[in-house]
């Protein structure tokens, strides 16, 4: 495993998140399901390093209550997520389940802008949205939920 991938996994375990969410329906009636890999940090150097080494997008937020700017690095491209996560997941210790959910979602569905989905696909995708939210919520979570989520991604 490369040092960059191991370092990325450590950053993702500590400062990152993996999420699947549903954007509200647009005026054109389009519903979007989005998968993301995200890192938030007050270190611009860290976010620049992530962008330089793994592409994606960079954002910054206004200063926090500590007067520090929050920088973010995000991946939205499902093809890139499908390529990157299989090499990162084995290195993860804390956010393994969330990463597996995002990877499975990207492999299973044609997600992204302007996607047209059947009613059955929307129901299936909403299950991933629900479990992603639970996997990313603060607190320990139940062992039963984690077991259920692991069974989904197998």
């Amino acid at each position: 495993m490369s040092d960059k991938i191991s370092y990325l996994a450590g950053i993702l375990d500590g400062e990152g998140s993996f999420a699947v969410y549903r954007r509200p329906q647009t005026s054109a009636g389009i519903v979007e399901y989005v998968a993301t890999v995200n890192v938030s940090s007050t270190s611009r150097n860290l976010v620049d390093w992530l962008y330089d080494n793994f592409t994606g997008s960079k954002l910054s937020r206004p200063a926090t209550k500590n007067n520090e700017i929050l920088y973010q690095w995000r991946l939205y491209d499902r093809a890139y997520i499908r390529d990157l996560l299989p090499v990162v997941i084995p290195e993860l210790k804390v956010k393994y389940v969330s990463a597996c959910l995002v990877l499975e979602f990207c492999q299973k569905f044609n997600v992204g802008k302007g996607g047209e989905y059947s009613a059955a696909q929307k129901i299936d995708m909403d299950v991933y949205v629900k479990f992603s939210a639970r996997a990313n919520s603060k607190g320990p979570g139940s062992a039963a939920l984690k077991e259920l989520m692991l069974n989904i991604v197998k």
Side-chain angles (χ1 to χ4, degrees):
M1 190 62 49
S2 81
D3 288 343
K4 284 183 184 180
I5 295 297
S6 296
Y7 185 63
L8 174 62
I11 292 167
L12 290 170
D13 262 343
E15 304 290 331
S17 65
F18 302 87
V20 176
Y21 62 94
R22 178 181 175 166
R23 287 188 177 153
Q25 186 169 328
T26 66
S27 59
I30 296 171
V31 174
E32 291 182 280
Y33 290 85
V34 180
T36 66
V37 177
N38 182 68
V39 172
S40 296
S41 176
T42 56
S43 170
R44 183 178 182 163
N45 288 340
L46 173 62
V47 170
D48 287 342
W49 182 87
L50 291 165
Y51 180 79
D52 292 344
N53 285 278
F54 301 102
T55 194
S57 61
K58 296 188 291 185
L59 306 162
S60 62
R61 303 276 184 214
T64 65
K65 58 185 171 188
N66 297 333
N67 292 322
E68 294 180 289
I69 296 172
L70 183 65
Y71 299 96
Q72 294 180 317
W73 169 78
R74 291 185 180 167
L75 289 179
Y76 290 107
D77 184 309
R78 71 180 189 284
Y80 193 75
I81 292 171
R82 282 193 312 255
D83 290 343
L84 182 64
L85 288 189
V87 296
V88 173
I89 286 172
E91 297 289 311
L92 294 172
K93 307 297 182 226
V94 177
K95 297 184 179 160
Y96 176 85
V97 171
S98 298
C100 287
L101 281 168
V102 168
L103 177 59
E104 173 77 15
F105 183 84
C106 288
Q107 291 170 334
K108 189 172 182 179
F109 302 106
N110 179 23
V111 298
K113 292 187 177 181
E116 294 186 20
Y117 313 108
S118 69
Q121 285 177 312
K122 287 179 183 179
I123 291 169
D124 287 347
M125 288 188 279
D126 283 338
V127 169
Y128 282 86
V129 171
K130 177 182 174 182
F131 284 120
S132 176
R134 288 187 182 173
N136 285 313
S137 66
K138 296 188 186 305
S142 72
L145 174 63
K146 290 179 182 177
E147 182 64 30
L148 179 60
M149 289 168 35
L150 285 171
N151 287 333
I152 286 175
V153 299
K154 285 184 181 174

Coordinates of all heavy atoms in Angstrom, one line a residue, residues 4 14 20 38 54 71 146:
K4 N 0.8 7.4 0.4 CA -0.3 8.4 0.2 C -1.6 7.8 0.6 O -2.5 8.5 1.2 CB -0.3 8.9 -1.2 CG 0.8 9.8 -1.6 CD 0.6 10.3 -3.0 CE 1.8 11.2 -3.4 NZ 1.7 11.6 -4.8
G14 N -10.0 10.2 10.7 CA -10.0 11.3 11.7 C -10.9 12.5 11.4 O -11.6 13.0 12.2
V20 N -24.1 9.4 1.7 CA -25.0 9.3 0.6 C -26.2 10.1 1.0 O -26.7 10.0 2.1 CB -25.5 7.9 0.3 CG1 -26.5 7.8 -0.8 CG2 -24.3 7.0 0.0
N38 N -15.6 13.4 2.0 CA -15.4 14.8 2.4 C -14.4 14.8 3.6 O -14.4 13.9 4.5 CB -16.7 15.4 2.9 CG -16.6 16.8 3.3 OD1 -16.4 17.7 2.5 ND2 -16.8 17.1 4.6
F54 N -5.4 13.9 -5.0 CA -6.5 13.0 -5.3 C -7.7 13.7 -6.0 O -8.8 13.3 -6.1 CB -7.1 12.4 -3.9 CG -6.1 11.6 -3.2 CD1 -5.4 12.1 -2.1 CD2 -5.8 10.3 -3.7 CE1 -4.5 11.3 -1.5 CE2 -4.8 9.5 -3.0 CZ -4.2 10.0 -1.9
Y71 N -11.8 24.7 5.9 CA -11.5 24.3 4.5 C -12.1 22.8 4.3 O -12.1 22.0 5.3 CB -10.0 24.3 4.3 CG -9.4 25.6 4.4 CD1 -8.8 26.0 5.6 CD2 -9.5 26.6 3.4 CE1 -8.3 27.3 5.8 CE2 -9.0 27.8 3.5 CZ -8.4 28.2 4.7 OH -7.8 29.5 4.9
K146 N -25.0 -1.7 13.0 CA -23.7 -1.9 12.2 C -23.7 -3.3 11.5 O -23.3 -3.4 10.4 CB -22.5 -1.8 13.2 CG -22.3 -0.4 13.7 CD -21.1 -0.3 14.6 CE -21.0 1.1 15.1 NZ -19.9 1.3 16.1

